């Protein structure tokens, strides 16, 4: 057995980004993000959670009722994180379809019933000199958590982004400059 401790990664830091649909997407792990992307700001120390789920349907054979095949009937990729920096960007992500308007230094957020609000999203995950960049060409905030206003913790905005498939079925793209991505442990 060949073990490589140098290939163990920790998501030490990173960032979350959002842009309008069809924005210019990055093509590697470290180039600057296009000006259309806005850094969402501080994310809680829980980081970003990527989830992949799928449902399957079983096909049973007539002879004995045994499962002879499973077919994926649905799948979903989501990213969950909690923004702890209050900004126009975060408030409008959390309150889908609502806009912050500011006049003479005073802001108003008229909260509307949520509607469709598809955007591009991106995440940088950094461990020293190793970078992972996750790009979601077509995504949407599909779930939000409760906001708690309390004297001893940050006002936080829990967001779950669902990645939607493009014409070729791609829901997200991952780039990395990490040498471990291109190696296979020896048997």
């Amino acid at each position: 057995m060949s073990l490589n401790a140098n290939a163990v990664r920790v998501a030490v830091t990173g960032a979350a980004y959002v842009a309008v649909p069809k924005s210019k997407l990055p093509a590697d792990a470290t180039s600057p993000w296009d000006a259309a992307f806005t850094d969402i700001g501080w994310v809680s120390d829980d980081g970003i959670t990527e989830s992949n789920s799928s449902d399957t349907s079983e096909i049973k054979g007539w002879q004995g009722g045994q499962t002879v095949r499973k077919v994926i009937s649905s799948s979903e990729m989501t990213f969950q994180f909690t923004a702890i920096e209050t900004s126009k960007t975060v408030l409008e992500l959390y309150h889908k379809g609502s806009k912050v308007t500011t006049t003479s230094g005073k802001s108003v957020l008229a909260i509307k019933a949520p509607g469709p609000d598809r955007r591009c999203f991106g995440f940088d995950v950094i461990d020293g000199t190793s970078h992972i960049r996750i790009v979601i060409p077509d995504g949407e905030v599909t779930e939000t958590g409760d906001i708690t206003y309390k004297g001893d913790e940050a006002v936080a905005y829990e967001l779950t982004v669902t990645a939607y498939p493009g014409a070729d079925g791609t829901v997200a793209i991952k780039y990395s400059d990490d040498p471990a991505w291109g190696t296979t442990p020896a048997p």
Side-chain angles (χ1 to χ4, degrees):
M1 176 177 358
S2 175
L3 304 174
N4 182 2
N6 293 324
V8 175
R9 296 289 168 255
V10 177
V12 176
T13 190
Y17 301 89
V18 64
V20 296
K22 301 185 189 289
S23 292
K24 183 178 182 220
L25 303 176
D28 63 47
T30 58
S31 294
W33 287 86
D34 186 78
F37 281 85
T38 300
D39 186 334
I40 290 172
W42 285 102
V43 172
S44 77
D45 63 355
D46 290 330
I48 298 165
T49 301
E50 175 184 328
S51 298
N52 292 283
S53 63
S54 61
D55 292 322
T56 58
S57 298
E58 294 182 350
I59 298 174
K60 305 255 184 205
W62 176 48
Q63 301 85 346
Q66 295 181 344
T67 300
V68 295
R69 185 172 175 187
K70 287 190 176 188
V71 178
I72 296 174
S73 54
S74 68
S75 65
E76 180 177 73
M77 182 177 212
T78 61
F79 296 85
Q80 190 278 326
F81 62 97
T82 302
I84 58 172
E85 184 173 325
T86 300
S87 68
K88 179 181 189 321
T89 299
V90 171
L91 290 169
E92 290 177 357
L93 282 173
Y94 185 88
H95 298 287
K96 288 174 43 163
S98 301
K99 299 291 179 205
V100 174
T101 56
T102 304
T103 307
S104 302
K106 298 184 183 202
S107 299
V108 175
L109 173 63
I111 300 169
K112 299 181 178 189
D117 188 20
R118 288 167 97 133
R119 303 185 189 208
C120 298
F121 290 87
F123 304 103
D124 282 334
V125 180
I126 303 167
D127 182 2
T129 60
S130 295
H131 300 85
I132 298 172
R133 176 166 285 169
I134 304 165
V135 179
I136 303 166
D138 184 12
E140 182 173 29
V141 173
T142 53
E143 293 179 40
T144 57
D146 296 336
I147 298 175
T148 302
Y149 302 101
K150 192 173 168 194
D152 62 347
E153 59 186 59
V155 176
Y157 308 89
E158 185 180 317
L159 305 168
T160 300
V161 174
T162 298
Y164 297 127
D168 68 352
T170 300
V171 294
I173 304 160
K174 290 185 180 183
Y175 298 103
S176 183
D177 62 359
D178 185 343
W181 276 43
T183 61
T184 304

